[in-house]
Amino acid sequence: MSDESIDQHSASSPEPVDSPEGFGYTGGGSWQVMRRLVAHYLRTADRADRLAYPFRSRIDLDADHLPRMSQPEMGDAQAAEQWLVIESANLLSALDWTRQHGSERQLALAAHVLAGFLDMEGYLGTAEPILRRAVAYWRAAGDDAARARALLDLSGVCSHSGDYDGGHAAASEALGLARSLSDSELESESIHHLWIPLWHTGQFVLAQTLQERALYLRKQSGDTLQIARSHNLLGITQLHLGRDHEALDLFEQALLGFAEASDNRGRYRLVQEGHRGG
């Protein structure tokens, strides 16, 4: 994180909010400035992540406890993704600073906020050990809902790095927690993540059965984007089972859903998503 960034925020940022569990700190000096700057990046990255990757299952950041600073303009997913890429060096620095100086809770929250960015931009080696620490923290804290979502973050990173056993194990554990919590949104997203290693290892029939369950749950919620995601993965599965007509119908439904949800990422990567692995 550049000295210029620190100087700019030191001179222009409002007084921080004092919070024992957040990133806000009172007092002066470079240590406090650094913590405020890290908090600013965490809050802004959370906002960008929600625009860029609206499909993720979220842990509440409790951002009201973070210091408020001026936020960059981000009107849509493309602008949010652009901000994440431009600020990637500072985001990585903020994560590393939190790893060295923050509490385990702060690191777990930062890891979750940045998990989508780290995964999509290929920082898999950076993400995995920090996400494992996050899972361990939420387990020790007794927060099963947060642990399940941290497991989903870990599952995605493992699967995309080629560790399909690790991806399967993390998603399966998340699925068990989701069902014990009777959380249908979390259950459907756990199945979505479980589909990835199943597809990569050729377990198409099981992948189809599970994804049909996810589609059923998502139809109950009426979430157009999530329904489209399930249609897409079911289409990919049918394609690899040799059912071309069924696959085409599902892809058409997915395309319509992505368009209705104004999700250009989903539209343009409708088939590519399957080749990448979810």
Side-chain angles (χ1 to χ4, degrees):
M1 199 172 297
S2 69
D3 291 339
E4 181 181 354
S5 293
I6 294 174
D7 292 342
Q8 178 182 358
H9 285 276
S10 177
S12 63
S13 299
E15 286 302 308
V17 177
D18 188 19
S19 171
E21 292 190 339
F23 285 80
Y25 285 79
T26 56
S30 60
W31 179 269
Q32 284 73 24
V33 170
M34 196 65 189
R35 300 189 82 141
R36 291 170 63 190
L37 185 55
V38 167
H40 165 72
Y41 274 105
L42 179 59
R43 178 191 282 275
T44 310
D46 181 61
R47 178 168 161 246
D49 182 82
R50 289 172 187 272
L51 284 170
Y53 314 120
F55 47 81
R56 291 185 61 209
S57 187
R58 306 281 174 182
I59 298 172
D60 184 12
L61 183 60
D62 195 19
D64 289 341
H65 292 290
L66 297 179
R68 295 186 180 278
M69 301 178 182
S70 60
Q71 295 283 304
E73 290 294 328
M74 280 184 270
D76 55 25
Q78 184 177 1
E81 288 185 58
Q82 184 178 26
W83 183 87
L84 289 166
V85 171
I86 290 172
E87 295 288 351
S88 59
N90 283 333
L91 292 172
L92 291 170
S93 294
L95 182 62
D96 188 58
W97 194 92
T98 306
R99 180 184 62 80
Q100 296 184 61
H101 304 292
S103 68
E104 287 300 303
R105 175 182 174 80
Q106 291 166 351
L107 181 61
L109 288 172
H112 176 68
V113 167
L114 296 176
F117 156 73
L118 294 170
D119 188 0
M120 297 303 295
E121 295 302 319
Y123 297 106
L124 305 178
T126 298
E128 183 179 347
I130 292 176
L131 289 172
R132 290 192 183 281
R133 281 178 64 174
V135 170
Y137 168 76
W138 295 121
R139 179 183 289 111
D143 191 334
D144 287 346
R147 174 159 62 107
R149 288 171 172 85
L151 283 162
L152 294 183
D153 294 338
L154 177 61
S155 176
V157 166
C158 287
S159 292
H160 291 152
S161 65
D163 178 10
Y164 302 127
D165 288 340
H168 187 285
S172 295
E173 186 177 350
L175 180 58
L177 290 169
R179 287 174 171 168
S180 71
L181 294 167
S182 299
D183 186 329
S184 60
E185 180 271 330
L186 185 56
E187 180 180 353
S188 63
E189 191 61 20
S190 298
I191 291 171
H192 198 99
H193 278 260
L194 187 56
W195 180 93
I196 302 172
L198 290 175
W199 181 82
H200 275 288
T201 54
Q203 300 179 67
F204 303 131
V205 174
L206 179 55
Q208 176 187 339
T209 300
L210 285 171
Q211 195 57 229
E212 285 173 346
R213 167 67 178 171
L215 178 59
Y216 169 79
L217 293 171
R218 286 169 167 171
K219 283 184 174 180
Q220 304 308 302
S221 73
D223 189 320
T224 302
L225 174 58
Q226 300 292 11
I227 292 169
R229 292 176 74 219
S230 283
H231 279 145
N232 186 30
L233 294 197
L234 279 170
I236 294 168
T237 307
Q238 295 284 31
L239 191 65
H240 284 82
L241 288 171
R243 301 167 184 165
D244 294 353
H245 292 296
E246 292 88 343
L248 180 59
D249 180 62
L250 286 161
F251 286 142
E252 289 176 345
Q253 292 183 68
L255 190 60
L256 288 171
F258 287 132
E260 184 178 342
S262 300
D263 183 4
N264 289 328
R265 174 191 293 276
R267 293 169 63 191
Y268 296 143
R269 299 183 63 189
L270 189 147
V271 177
Q272 292 179 0
E273 185 179 46
H275 292 295
R276 182 180 186 276

